[in-house]
Amino acid sequence: MWSPGKGGEWILGIPIFETVQNAVNATGANTSVIFVPAPSAADAIYEAIDSGIRLIVCITEGIPVMDAIRVREYIRDTPHRLIGPNSPGILVPGRASLGIIPAEITTPGEIGVVTRSSTLAYNTIYTLTQMGIGQSAIVGIGGDPVIGTNFVDILSRFEDDPFTRSVILFGEIGGYGENMAADFIRSSMTKRVVAYIAGQHAPHDRQLGDKGAIIDGPGTDVATKIELLRDAGARVVTSFEDIPAALAGS
């Protein structure tokens, strides 16, 4: 943990460092989870990158768009990976938790989950756990308009992951992430993908929930995303309750 001006203190047995670089030098840390307020979040990401942190998970919501664009360009073509901003984090049940995904609703298994919105995924994950259907990993890519990691990045990881049998994709209105995911599913996915797209009754030009959840151009509405995903071979459901059957169906 790092907090300027409080280096050398301890909280709940955890040491506090003055800078990220100090923490890396002392512990060999390779991951950073960022909770700082939106106006300071970009600087926190830059500091993590410059300190050699390879995996950065940004929970902060509402980072100014131009700040997010500059961060994404700064990290492009580097070995660093940014999850978020406005991400609930990453959770590998029984092994690792980076962020705010509640571990108590998960259980180890073979279903990968990738989502733009935390609230969309939590209920389904809990239901699957109650049914004895476990998850290999849960990744929230973030709901802000500009993010560091997209659906395709995570789908490709799940495709290569020997511990993942099928994938659930939770999408929303707005942006073209789901559209690009459909292209990848058609061309490169051999594993089953079950998709749910939120916002079936969303009006145009009105933000719903996450800042990126707004129909802001052709192809960013639910109907288009559903059509593209279905044509690509994904099993698209219109109700959370249909997800277990879609995972199990032949």
Side-chain angles (χ1 to χ4, degrees):
M1 183 182 297
W2 70 276
S3 181
K6 296 185 178 181
E9 298 181 18
W10 292 71
I11 294 180
L12 300 176
I14 300 173
I16 300 177
F17 297 93
E18 192 76 17
T19 67
V20 176
Q21 190 64 67
N22 287 349
V24 171
N25 292 342
T27 68
N30 58 16
T31 302
S32 177
V33 182
I34 293 173
F35 293 89
V36 302
S40 305
D43 286 340
I45 296 172
Y46 288 134
E47 183 177 3
I49 295 168
D50 293 343
S51 299
I53 296 289
R54 290 296 185 94
L55 176 61
I56 302 158
V57 178
C58 185
I59 309 299
T60 307
E61 177 180 0
I63 293 177
V65 171
M66 290 308 300
D67 284 356
I69 290 173
R70 293 186 187 103
V71 165
R72 189 169 66 179
E73 289 305 307
Y74 192 74
I75 208 170
R76 188 188 299 275
D77 299 324
T78 75
H80 306 275
R81 168 73 64 185
L82 171 63
I83 304 292
N86 192 11
S87 164
I90 303 170
L91 189 141
V92 180
R95 296 182 60 190
S97 177
L98 301 169
I100 58 174
I101 299 172
E104 61 270 21
I105 69 171
T106 71
T107 191
E110 300 179 318
I111 306 299
V113 179
V114 57
T115 181
R116 279 174 62 182
S117 170
S118 56
T119 53
L120 285 178
Y122 290 172
N123 183 63
T124 298
I125 293 167
Y126 176 73
T127 299
L128 293 175
T129 295
Q130 294 297 104
M131 297 175 65
I133 302 173
Q135 308 87 42
S136 57
I138 301 155
V139 182
I141 61 173
D144 275 6
V146 179
I147 55 177
T149 296
N150 59 35
F151 279 124
V152 172
D153 296 326
I154 304 304
L155 287 173
S156 66
R157 295 296 183 98
F158 280 139
E159 173 68 15
D160 294 337
D161 178 27
F163 301 104
T164 297
R165 175 174 55 84
S166 300
V167 180
I168 304 173
L169 182 153
F170 290 99
E172 297 178 330
I173 57 172
Y176 295 95
E178 294 83 359
N179 310 46
M180 293 187 292
D183 289 339
F184 181 80
I185 291 167
R186 177 184 294 105
S187 66
S188 304
M189 287 292 293
T190 62
K191 297 178 180 179
R192 177 174 301 166
V193 177
V194 175
Y196 175 89
I197 309 299
Q200 297 176 49
H201 306 290
H204 285 251
D205 302 321
R206 184 180 301 175
Q207 178 187 323
L208 298 177
D210 293 322
K211 289 186 178 297
I214 178 172
I215 300 172
D216 52 2
T220 64
D221 59 287
V222 168
T224 299
K225 292 173 186 282
I226 287 176
E227 180 180 4
L228 290 173
L229 286 163
R230 279 183 174 153
D231 287 347
R235 300 185 177 206
V236 182
V237 298
T238 56
S239 169
F240 294 123
E241 295 157 349
D242 296 331
I243 290 176
L247 287 169
S250 59

